[in-house]
Amino acid sequence: MIKGANVGLSALSENAESIVVSLGWSSPDGDGDADVSVLLLGKSGKVRSNEDFFFYNNPAAADGSVQLLGQTPSENVNEDRIQLDLSAVPTGVRRIVVSASRHQRAEFGKLEDLRLTLSDADGEGILGFSITDAKTESAFVFGEIYRREDEWKFRAVGQGYDTGLAGLATDFGIEIDEDDDQEADAPTSSAGTPAQPSGTSAVPSPRTPETAETAAPPVEQVSAPAPPTETLPPAAPARRLRTAKRKVTLPKEPKKSLAENDTWRGARLFPAASLKSDREREARATSVLLSVMAQVPEFGRRLTAGFGAPSGRMETFTEVSLPHGETPKRPDGVIRVERAGRLWTALVETKTNGNPLKDEQIQDYMDIAARRGYEAVITLSNDVALEGSPLVNVKIDGRRKHKVALRHLSWAEVAHQAHMLIRHEGVRQEPHAWLLQEFLHYLQHENSGCHGFQNMGPAWVPVRKGIDEETLCQGDERATQVVESWERLIRQVCLRLGGELGDKVMPVQRAKRGTDPQSRRSELADRLCQDGRLSAEIRIGGMVGVLAVTADLRTGRLRTSIDIPAPEQGYPLTWVKRLMRQLSEAPADLHVQTLLDGSVAGPRGTLEKLRPEPGALLPKESAQITGFRLSLSKSMGSTRGNAESSFIRSVDAAVDRFHSTVVTHLAKPGPSRQKAPGAGPAPH
């Protein structure tokens, strides 16, 4: 779509009552991010109350009409999704505004590929809109979904604001806390009116979509009188909002146990000690998961919203027999959601303990779902799905009018969502929090089989041997398989760390625009054959830079590192002394290197040697210091096996150690700080 265009959703899909809106962007340096938000507007073009503003501090509507699903791993780009149940939107809401803002008012012009895509309940993409004129704006209205008579329509907006999230929210009637942080303050004129949107991309806020449909382009040059103000019942004074991210208080330490000694074990709601066979593990894990999803609405909704499920009453079932030819099939589970007399149904197939999904089994379930009018088949295993590398190969009959979505969940993602709810976002009832805690304890038990990605695959040992013997050649398919396993491992590390921190943790993919996933992995595989290294980058929300992880299979060393920028003001010796103070509790073997402008290598040393003589980091020549590289190195595990390998454990441990002992002590970047130099894994 082009800017200002509009289209009816019913003309694009027969199943557009429940939709997923995805906002995407890419960053040349891998360090760009943004936060999505949604506003529900009445006839006046303003929110009815502050409760109609959904963002990181208020991610979901109680009626299920809006839910921010967060970022999803995607190749080369960042993609943040929003689930909208249009059938649940209150009748007083005329417009749904979809927007995004950058942290501390960074500029959208420094991001690339700004776009919005919209998918229907079947997961089919039905429209897209790209923003190509972003410059200094720190917030953008990407588009809006609005009612016209009895139909929902979409309009491509592309309206920018220089005043960030707070300025955008104020323009639509949100009352922002006057004591909010500087990054969230909405600049006002001397008369106290909200700051106007930025330059050429601004659209007067009172303007309605109905007027826009009849106006000739360009949209920005058309204005219309504001409609009559919507009549609302008297309400209490509006609660002011803080657009600064909410601080989360972690649960208190558990009370001291009453057990006589450590051999006493507390009773668990979901005991796992007696599980022996894979069949027992799969049946127990499926039943436990589905029962918790049905009993804890926030958790069930979190896992199914991204699959197109509506918000409604959920019931779950196990070992259901469904006719299929001469032999009935028994999927591990069934999820049904009822809303306004309509049913949404998904079949569930579960694998534990690293067992792979079977193509023919999933194909049967897809055929059954298509014949019976079910909406989805959900696979669940320890493996992590990658774009362009499906876990199962099934054939979709394009002649069928009813389409079935095939979706995948990893046990790591299930644990991540439970962690986010318990530790960071909260659930409405205390018993539900306890139930989720018991569920997490079950997942983490050694007998549950739900430990996430735990095997580097059959190609791991031959590839390591080929690198040691220098016999691995470029183009070897086994190298590509190892690259895929490495990517799955990094994605799982991000899920686990994100659940612990309560923040966005995403892998950074650096590739040329338009590069497909398989081509990118083939290029990384050729690099692995050449230099024997696996490299990855992880971006953590609010972190000063990008965390790089490099596994050198030739030397058996695992390196974690981060590049931090030099301050824009002050003296180099002052910078170095301040850095030493920040790293006062960091490990003595932390390696610090000065980064200089150009290709010249700067001074380096360990903290143990630099603490008494911080001036040793200053270059002897008059070279300009652009930043500092901090890195830790350790030996990595080498065995594979059927259980979680020592290599995977060593990657987890290395990232945890580096983050907890180094990254957490670094100062957060301020708005005036320059970008971290030299993006990419640290050289060896």
Side-chain angles (χ1 to χ4, degrees), residues 355-371:
N355 292 319
L357 296 160
K358 299 178 180 178
D359 295 353
E360 62 276 10
Q361 194 174 34
I362 305 304
Q363 183 70 66
D364 288 342
Y365 295 152
M366 291 288 289
D367 294 339
I368 292 172
R371 287 200 311 270

Side-chain angles (χ1 to χ4, degrees), residues 594-617:
T594 302
L595 301 176
L596 304 178
D597 191 15
S599 58
V600 181
R604 64 184 72 186
T606 62
L607 270 185
E608 184 178 17
K609 295 181 179 179
L610 292 172
R611 279 168 175 156
E613 297 182 11
L617 278 177

Side-chain angles (χ1 to χ4, degrees), residues 482-622:
V482 168
V483 167
E484 290 184 354
S485 295
W486 170 252
E487 189 173 334
R488 289 187 168 98
L489 171 57
I490 294 300
R491 291 183 184 276
Q492 179 166 288
V493 169
C494 292
L495 285 170
R496 181 183 55 77
L497 193 58
E500 293 174 1
L501 301 178
D503 213 329
K504 293 180 181 178
V505 181
M506 299 290 294
V508 177
Q509 301 288 4
R510 301 185 188 274
K512 295 180 181 178
R513 186 183 302 180
T515 303
D516 66 273
Q518 288 299 348
S519 297
R520 180 181 60 79
R521 293 183 188 119
S522 296
E523 182 180 344
L524 294 176
D526 288 343
R527 243 185 267 170
L528 171 63
C529 296
Q530 184 175 355
D531 60 25
R533 294 175 187 163
L534 292 167
S535 299
E537 292 176 299
I538 298 173
R539 184 176 62 251
I540 302 174
M543 194 174 76
V544 67
V546 176
L547 194 158
V549 186
T550 301
D552 193 324
L553 305 188
R554 283 201 175 103
T555 62
R557 304 293 296 178
L558 188 65
R559 181 180 294 271
T560 48
S561 64
I562 187 172
D563 290 358
I564 60 174
E568 292 183 340
Q569 298 178 350
Y571 298 97
L573 183 58
T574 304
W575 303 343
V576 173
K577 290 181 177 179
R578 183 185 302 123
L579 181 61
M580 293 298 105
R581 289 195 298 270
Q582 290 177 352
L583 299 174
S584 60
E585 299 181 12
D589 60 339
L590 178 69
H591 193 272
V592 184
Q593 179 182 4
T594 302
L595 301 176
L596 304 178
D597 191 15
S599 58
V600 181
R604 64 184 72 186
T606 62
L607 270 185
E608 184 178 17
K609 295 181 179 179
L610 292 172
R611 279 168 175 156
E613 297 182 11
L617 278 177
L618 300 179
K620 296 181 181 179
E621 302 82 8
S622 58

